[in-house]
Amino acid sequence: MKNSPLRLSASLAIALLILTDTGTLRADTGTAPDSVEPSVAQSTRAIAGQLLNQLGQKLKTAMTTDGPLAAVSVCKEAAPSIAKSLSAEHGIQITRVGTKVRNSKMGVPNTWQKEALSQFEERLSQGEKPADLEYWQVIDSGNGKRELHYAKAIMVQPMCLSCHGQASDISTPLAEKIKLEYPEDQATGYSVGKLRGAVVITKPL
Ligand code: HEC
């Protein structure tokens, strides 16, 4: 009975029902939806972790060896280039977006990314741990294709304040340098523990 045609077509009908009923399959919680294979979920998570680690290390080294002024240039070059090479390597799109934005080309959240950020804010206010904040969504991208959307929260740590903190946290030369490089900068005024943004990944399934 295990693989009877009846059983198979019944499961197919249920799967179709779910698909047509919701249009998009989604699960906005910390766990990946059933439609995402565990191996895909795991590798997506790992890639987001790589971006955060590589960038974090570069930033830390630059801050301690060359100081925050030089670190602005490191951020400016390293962040987009790490994102670009991870995207090419894995056939995905990965970037960072902000709740307030410094890089107006790469850092502005689109609709689903905004939704992820506002969901993170809400889950934080309900006491959820920052480390658990992930967002998963699978959409039907047309022609029978599906696309995975993933976001992981980025929180403000003490090290971030010299470039994203209150006016009193940011030295005058640093503020001037940021203004020069990013005339439209909005990404200041943060304090430790606030949601700074997210790593976001779009992956064709
Ligand atoms: C030395 C200054 C500096 C420090 C310290 C710093 N940042 Fe940034 N941050 C920048 C710059 C410059 C950009 C724009 C990078 C780019 O052009 O992609 C940026 C962009 C970002 C973005 C992308 C969204 C946006 O606004 O463009 C996030 C998220 C972010 N920073 C988080 C952090 C976090 C979290 C920390 C602390 C762990 C941190 N930053 C520390 C300078 C800094």
Side-chain angles (χ1 to χ4, degrees):
M1 255 322 259
K2 217 163 136 212
N3 284 322
S4 79
L6 199 69
R7 168 95 48 111
L8 272 180
S9 58
S11 335
L12 199 66
I14 290 169
L16 279 174
L17 242 177
I18 295 171
L19 268 170
T20 46
D21 189 34
T22 56
T24 60
L25 288 171
R26 52 189 309 159
D28 297 341
T29 62
T31 45
D34 292 342
S35 50
V36 180
E37 274 180 46
S39 64
V40 171
Q42 208 177 10
S43 70
T44 305
R45 234 184 220 131
I47 299 165
Q50 276 179 38
L51 178 88
L52 288 175
N53 284 343
Q54 289 178 21
L55 194 58
Q57 267 168 25
K58 273 228 152 80
L59 185 62
K60 219 180 244 168
T61 312
M63 292 286 275
T64 46
T65 55
D66 308 317
L69 264 183
V72 173
S73 317
V74 171
C75 270
K76 189 171 181 185
E77 274 130 45
S81 92
I82 294 170
K84 214 171 143 189
S85 69
L86 283 174
S87 296
E89 187 184 338
H90 299 283
I92 56 165
Q93 275 174 282
I94 182 169
T95 186
R96 294 180 308 164
V97 293
T99 41
K100 294 190 278 184
V101 177
R102 177 153 296 167
N103 180 336
S104 55
K105 291 205 186 80
M106 289 183 78
V108 182
N110 65 17
T111 311
W112 73 262
Q113 295 159 356
K114 267 194 203 131
E115 190 186 304
L117 290 173
S118 71
Q119 202 188 92
F120 289 163
E121 297 278 23
E122 197 182 317
R123 285 161 61 186
L124 282 167
S125 75
Q126 288 164 359
E128 202 167 323
K129 277 194 295 192
D132 293 342
L133 293 173
E134 286 183 316
Y135 174 96
W136 301 91
Q137 181 187 56
V138 176
I139 62 146
D140 188 345
S141 51
N143 296 330
K145 299 218 168 79
R146 295 179 315 143
E147 198 172 84
L148 172 64
H149 295 160
Y150 170 77
K152 167 140 188 74
I154 302 177
M155 308 303 292
V156 176
Q157 302 159 36
M159 183 180 77
C160 319
L161 295 183
S162 49
C163 295
H164 294 296
Q166 315 286 330
S168 55
D169 299 317
I170 306 174
S171 73
T172 308
L174 200 50
E176 281 168 0
K177 167 111 181 166
I178 293 170
K179 194 93 211 141
L180 192 73
E181 303 274 3
Y182 301 90
E184 294 167 16
D185 181 38
Q186 301 284 325
T188 55
Y190 286 96
S191 49
V192 172
K194 293 283 185 242
L195 182 68
R196 173 65 187 87
V199 186
V200 291
I201 293 180
T202 301
K203 177 184 166 70
L205 290 177

